Every structure is written in C-alpha cells, then in structure tokens.
C-alpha cells in the first residue's frame, strides 16, 4: 500500500509512527528501500532511492534519526513517537539531547506525540501540549502545522491533530510547504502529511555558543581561511543598498566559523517532576466511562453507575495523592545537588513563553504568534515620524575612517558576560575576530560610514520579558522588555558615539547640569551640586521649594523625530551624524515563540540594551535644560530624573 502511494507522491523520505513491523523490519517495503526503526519499533524512517546518501545517526526507545546532505550542508531527519500512556518528558528530553548534539545543523522533526494544544488545532490544551510547546521554544524550533489544517487523525467519530512537524529555523519553515493530504487514502487512522522543502536558501538561525570554554584557536584558523573572501566582498560592495546583503553575508560566515569551532549552549528547559502514570490514566478513563453510562441510563441502573463512579473516584483521589507523595520522596532522595532541579524550579528568574503568554493572555485569544504580536503592539505602539527636514546650508563634513586604534580602545572594554543578538555572535567572538583579522571589522564599519547606513539586520532586537517583582503578572506593563541586539551593531554604535561624544564635549554642546551618562559626571557630583544650592539658599535666608521629577517610561517613549531634530540642531552635519540617525530607521523587535518568531516595527523608544539610548536621551533632555527658566530657578538632571530648586524671599512669591 505504501509503495503504491509513494508512486503517486514521489517522496524522497517517509516518516512513519506505529508501523507494522515483522522480524525487526517495516513490512511491505520494496527491497531497494532503506528503513530504520526506534528500539520499540514505534517510530521509523524510510529512504527511497531518490534520497541523497542517507546515513543512520541515532536510535533510542522512541526516537530514530538519519542524516542526509542538502546542498553540501548536513540535514538531520528525526522521527519520534510518544504513547499517550507514557511520560512524555522521556521523549522530549531525548529529542532535546539529540538536537543539541547536532551543533546548530538544520533538522526536521516529524512526531506523533499525542499532545493537545490549541496551537495546532485542538479545542483544548492539556499538560502534554504545554510541555511540547515549551520544548519547541527551548530548541528554538518552528512548528509547521497550521491552526486551520484538517485533522491528521480520524477514527470513527473522533478526530485529532497529534502529528507535529517541527523545523529548525524560521527560514526553513518559510521555505517549507506543509499540508495534510486528506484526499489521498493512507490505509490508516492517520492522514498523510506532505512536506516539501526548498533548501536553496542559506539558513541563519539563532544559536548561542560556549565561547568561554575555549575553541578560539580553531575559530581563528577557520576565520583566517575565510578572511580573503570576506574582505573581497566588502571591497566589492559599491552601492549603499547592498550594505544589508553584505552584513548578512558576514554574519553567516562568522556564524559558520563559530559552529565549527565552538560547542552550542544548551537552552535550559523547565525542570519537571512527573507523578502521573499509566495506571492513573487507565482509572481516570474508567471513571469517565462510568459517568457517561450513568448519563445514558435511568432509574436503578443510573444509580448503580453513579455509586460505582463515586467509589472509584474516591479511591482514585487517594491514589493520585499517594503518587504525588511517592514522586516527591523519590526525587528528593535522588537529588544530590543543592542547586539542582528543585532550586531551579523554585528560584528561576524567567518563565517559559507558554507560561508568560498564559499569564498575560487574559483578554487575548489566539495562537502564540498572535499573542506575541499583541504584546509587541502594546509595548511598541506605532508612532508617525514627523522629523523636520534639515534645510541648513552648512557643508557636509566627512569624518576620517575608523582606525584599529579606535577599535582596540573600545573592544578591550567590552564585557564577556553579555548575551548576543539573533546572530549568536557575542563579545568574546568579537574580540577573537579583532585579534585574528582586525581588517574585517575595520573595513566593514568603514563601509557603513562611507554609505552612511546602519545595516538593517543589526537593528533587529530579540525581546526577553522579565517580570518585575511585586507586579501583577497578568499586566503587560509588569514586564521589563530587555532587547538582545547583535554585537556587531553595538560595536558600530560605540564607534559612532565615541566620535560624536568627543565632538559634543570638545565644543561644550551639552548642558553643564546634565550629570547622567557623561564622562567626568556622576550621581555623587549631582547630589553635591544639589546640596550646595540648598545650603546657599539657607544661608541667604530664602524660602526654597525643591521638586523632583522622574519621567515614567522616558526611554521607552522617546520620539525618533525629537532625537533626529536634536542631532541636527546640536551638531554639524557629517557622515557620523547621518549614520547615527539611520540607527532609528527600520528598527524591528522580535519575540521568539514555539511556532516561530513574531516581529513588529519599533518606531519610538530606545531599546533597553542599546548603546546609543543614553546619548540620545541626553540630546533630547538638553532641550529642557536649555529652556528659558527664571533666574531664581535651578534645574539639573541625572538621566531622566530632573531636580528643581526654586528660591524666593517670601512664600507669596511662589504663587506668582
């Protein structure tokens, strides 16, 4: 039957769950087909002759995997099955370890996990569904199933969507055509799912590398072998509109070198303690069956089933309680680490995306992508840019190119413990690039300066939500959005700001009473100045009013038009100022979900995690400090905190 269907569909690979197995082999296959099975024979992979050199990779009790070549890059195919009566954690943990061992290689997972979730078609979400959703998030996977797809399982009057297809990256997901073939006979309760993948496009996915544990020598060797082609690509870029393609190319090359040299960081999954077992599942179904019989019966028969259901329910509750206690005792006796599973469960700082979405999702319904989109819309509302056109006739100054000395000054101060952006390149890698081939960074940044463009891919920030202690979890304002930006972009920002701030300080362009985010200024100096003003008023026997103002959400609500206008107003137009202003164009924020990334344009506010945010705020705040205040008003600022000291001879004067 399968061979007949294969002639019609012409697949290269077939993933099967619960196949008919005879003597350790899938029955009914042509002799020239290759096949592999999991150890319990519940998951299988079949490779047809058209498949490009399949190689067996891995087999466990519920999982089997092979590796093939796709356009000169390795590609892993995984088939998995989890019985509804078994603990799904064993399957998910095994799959997670397998994917982690791939070191960032692309993969496709086809699994029958018997888990319910509204994300992939069911009307409800059960515990297994929540765990699968968290698993997809932990591997940065992307669910191919669509919410409105036909059922993948039909049996008599019941239907379901237990069969999941998960891709390793959003680009792979976009280049995959996934559909349920409900018009083709499968000779099974499960429908045939067709997945067509276009692997022509290079895929850059979000990885985190263990750079702190070594591998730098190998990275340096790989980078030096690629340096010539990277430098040639930089020099061959002659049009400003090509700077984005150049940036993506460099990110891809660096990411490739990292995957070859460093181990991947394993994304931590939420620790779980499973007390549910197949015996409890069976008894729960027995009670449900008795209740249904009671509903369909009358008289004494109805009473008989109701009494029997109550008796079994009483016993069931006791067994559930006992199972929980036994599980707790067992896990406590087996746990040897003081800061192990239980510590992480009690004190973890962040929650899985599904937990955050369920807490915030009190007024919103929909898929994780839709919920993430509503969160981004709430955090980053669209604002129309009304920047005034700079019609000044002043000449356009061209600053000289960046030098290795400037790069070295900044790079040696970069911290090693900052999380990278969506390209996975952290500051340790940046330091290794500069050490091995500084001309790559220098030439690339100078090309950006030449074109006065800040690359678009360096303006894409991954949003991580941290709950503010003591705040209502259901309110989106109770979460602090931290933006993970690409380190290449942060380094370019620092180079631009180093030149820009030097110009401002040298020419005394900033107000002397701004004490925040400036060299030679500090909170201690700000407090000393404030106290001196108060003491001076006291010596002169003046009535003094002190007002302190903290601007709520100052950085989050900063208007881009105000920043651009302030730059034009305070500084001479140059390639530095124009590149700085381009940082504010076409910004994008992204939340990773278990079915892919949700993106949204950022049209106002400085990202918490950017290098330019403090400098931009000072420019806008300078307009307040430079306002025409009365002579008896002293105003000073520390970042977004403003302090007024107003002194008069009499109290009556304050009313005027």
């Amino acid at each position: 039957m399968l061979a007949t269907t294969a002639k019609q569909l012409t697949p290269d690979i077939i993933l099967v769950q619960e196949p008919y197995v005879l003597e350790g082999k899938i029955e009914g296959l042509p002799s020239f087909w290759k096949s592999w099975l999991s150890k319990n024979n519940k998951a299988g992979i079949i490779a047809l002759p058209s498949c490009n050199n399949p190689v067996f990779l891995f087999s466990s009790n519920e999982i089997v995997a092979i590796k093939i070549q796709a356009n000169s890059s390795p590609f892993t195919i995984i088939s998995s099955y989890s019985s509804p009566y078994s603990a799904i954690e064993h399957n998910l943990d095994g799959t997670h370890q397998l994917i982690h061992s791939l070191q960032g290689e692309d993969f496709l997972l086809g699994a029958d996990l018997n888990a319910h979730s509204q994300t992939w078609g069911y009307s409800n979400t059960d515990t297994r569904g929540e765990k699968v959703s968290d698993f997809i998030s932990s591997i940065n996977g992307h669910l191919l199933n669509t919410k409105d797809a036909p059922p993948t399982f039909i049996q008599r009057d019941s239907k379901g969507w237990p069969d999941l297809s998960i891709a390793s990256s959003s680009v792979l997901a976009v280049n995959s055509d996934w559909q349920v073939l409900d018009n083709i006979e499968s000779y099974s309760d499960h429908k045939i799912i067709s997945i067509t993948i276009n692997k022509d496009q290079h895929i850059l996915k979000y990885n985190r590398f263990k750079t702190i544990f070594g591998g730098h020598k190998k990275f340096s060797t790989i980078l030096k072998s690629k340096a010539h082609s990277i430098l040639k690509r930089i020099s061959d870029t002659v049009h400003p509109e090509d700077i984005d393609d150049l940036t993506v190319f460099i990110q891809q090359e660096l990411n490739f070198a990292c995957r070859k040299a460093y181990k991947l960081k394993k994304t931590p999954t939420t620790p779980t303690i499973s007390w549910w077992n197949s015996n409890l599942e069976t008894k729960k179904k027995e009670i449900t069956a008795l209740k249904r019989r009671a509903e369909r019966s009358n008289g004494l028969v109805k009473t008989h089933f109701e009494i029997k259901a109550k008796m079994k329910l009483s016993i069931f509750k006791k067994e559930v309680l006992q199972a929980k206690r036994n599980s707790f005792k067992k896990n406590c006796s087996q746990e040897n680490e003081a800061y192990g599973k239980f510590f992480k469960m009690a004190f973890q700082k962040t929650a899985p995306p599904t937990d955050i979405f369920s807490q915030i999702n009190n007024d919103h319904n929909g898929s994780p992508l839709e919920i993430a989109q509503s969160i981004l819309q709430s955090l980053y509302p669209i604002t129309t840019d009304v920047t005034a056109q700079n019609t000044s006739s002043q000449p356009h100054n061209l600053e000289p190119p960046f030098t290795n000395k400037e790069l070295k000054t900044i790079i040696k101060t970069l911290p090693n413990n900052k999380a990278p952006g969506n390209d996975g390149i952290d500051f340790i890698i940046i330091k290794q690039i500069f050490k091995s081939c500084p001309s790559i960074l220098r030439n690339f940044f100078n090309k950006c300066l030449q074109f006065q463009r800040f690359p678009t891919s360096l303006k894409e920030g991954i949003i991580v939500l941290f709950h503010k202690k003591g705040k209502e979890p259901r309110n989106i304002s109770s979460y602090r959005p931290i933006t993970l930006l690409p380190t290449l972009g942060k380094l370019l920002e620092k180079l631009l700001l180093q030149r820009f701030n030097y110009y401002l300080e040298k020419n005394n362009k900033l107000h002397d009473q701004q004490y925040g985010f400036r060299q030679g200024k500090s909170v201690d100096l700000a407090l000393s100045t404030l106290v001196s003003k108060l003491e001076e008023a006291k010596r002169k026997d003046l009535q003094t009013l002190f007002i302190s103002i903290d601007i709520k959400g100052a950085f989050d609500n900063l208007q881009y038009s105000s920043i651009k206008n302030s730059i034009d107003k305070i500084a001479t137009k140059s390639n530095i100022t124009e590149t700085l202003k381009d940082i504010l164009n076409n910004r994008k924020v992204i939340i990773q979900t278990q079915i892919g990334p949700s993106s949204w344009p950022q049209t106002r506010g400085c990202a918490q995690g950017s290098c330019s945010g403090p400098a931009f705020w000072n420019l806008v705040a300078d307009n307040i400090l430079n306002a025409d205040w009365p002579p008896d008003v002293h105003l000073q600022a520390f970042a977004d905190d403003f302090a007024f000291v107003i002194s008069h001879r009499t109290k009556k004067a304050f009313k005027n």
Side-chain angles (χ1 to χ4, degrees), residues 17-87:
Q17 286 83 36
E18 295 185 284
Y20 177 59
V21 177
L22 184 64
E23 296 180 354
K25 294 184 178 181
I26 301 176
E27 182 67 8
L29 300 183
S31 58
F32 52 89
W33 287 14
K34 297 180 180 179
S35 64
W36 301 267
L37 284 166
S38 61
K39 292 180 180 178
N40 66 356
N41 294 336
K42 294 295 185 181
I45 300 177
I46 302 168
L48 279 68
S50 59
C51 181
N52 185 18
N53 297 323
V55 177
F56 172 75
L57 178 64
F58 174 82
S59 177
S60 67
N61 192 49
E62 300 178 332
I63 307 164
V64 62
I66 66 170
K67 194 182 290 287
I68 62 173
Q69 286 293 119
N71 290 345
S72 74
S73 60
F75 188 70
T76 300
I77 308 293
I78 307 169
S79 179
S80 174
Y81 174 80
S82 177
S83 167
Y85 306 112
S86 64

Side-chain angles (χ1 to χ4, degrees), residues 45-276:
I45 300 177
I46 302 168
L48 279 68
S50 59
C51 181
N52 185 18
N53 297 323
V55 177
F56 172 75
L57 178 64
F58 174 82
S59 177
S60 67
N61 192 49
E62 300 178 332
I63 307 164
V64 62
I66 66 170
K67 194 182 290 287
I68 62 173
Q69 286 293 119
N71 290 345
S72 74
S73 60
F75 188 70
T76 300
I77 308 293
I78 307 169
S79 179
S80 174
Y81 174 80
S82 177
S83 167
Y85 306 112
S86 64
I88 197 171
E89 293 86 355
H90 301 307
N91 181 289
L92 299 181
D93 289 345
T95 308
H96 192 282
Q97 292 175 11
L98 170 61
I99 292 172
H100 177 68
S101 69
L102 298 178
Q103 287 291 296
E105 294 177 1
D106 296 322
F107 67 84
L108 176 68
L109 167 63
D112 178 0
L113 297 176
N114 290 289
H116 291 210
S117 175
Q118 294 176 329
T119 302
W120 49 82
Y122 284 99
S123 59
N124 68 307
T125 299
D126 60 11
T127 304
R128 292 173 69 94
E130 291 176 354
K131 291 177 180 178
V132 171
S133 294
D134 288 340
F135 161 76
I136 297 174
S137 296
S138 71
I139 62 172
N140 291 312
H142 300 265
L143 187 68
L144 301 183
N145 298 55
T146 56
K147 191 177 181 180
D148 56 350
T152 63
F153 173 84
I154 298 178
Q155 186 181 60
R156 299 185 185 90
D157 297 330
S158 63
K159 61 182 180 180
W161 293 261
D163 305 295
L164 304 181
S165 306
I166 302 168
S168 56
S169 71
S170 58
V171 178
L172 181 59
V174 168
N175 286 275
S176 300
D177 179 24
W178 184 95
Q179 56 181 320
V180 179
L181 305 181
D182 53 354
N183 59 335
I184 297 180
E185 179 58 52
S186 65
Y187 306 99
S188 166
D189 296 333
H190 292 259
K191 294 295 182 179
I192 295 174
I193 297 174
S194 170
I195 305 174
T196 305
I197 300 175
N198 175 19
K199 280 284 288 166
D200 292 336
Q201 186 170 354
H202 187 92
I203 295 169
L204 178 66
K205 52 178 285 195
Y206 179 60
N207 292 317
R208 294 282 299 277
F209 302 101
K210 292 184 177 180
T211 52
I212 200 170
F213 300 109
H216 306 316
K217 187 175 181 180
K218 186 175 181 180
F219 174 79
S220 177
T221 302
I222 298 171
L223 183 64
K224 287 177 180 178
S225 67
K226 291 178 170 290
H228 177 73
S229 62
I230 295 174
L231 292 171
K232 187 176 186 302
R233 178 68 180 267
I234 294 173
S235 63
D236 290 344
T237 302
V238 294
H239 300 292
E241 55 270 19
D242 295 332
I243 195 69
D244 287 340
D245 290 338
L246 170 64
T247 306
V248 172
F249 169 77
I250 293 174
Q251 288 176 297
Q252 289 175 348
E253 292 297 294
L254 296 178
N255 192 275
F256 174 82
C258 289
R259 281 190 284 170
K260 292 293 184 182
Y262 302 115
K263 292 182 178 180
L264 284 183
K265 275 190 176 181
K266 187 175 181 180
T267 307
T269 55
T270 306
T272 57
I273 297 177
S274 177
W275 52 268
W276 190 258

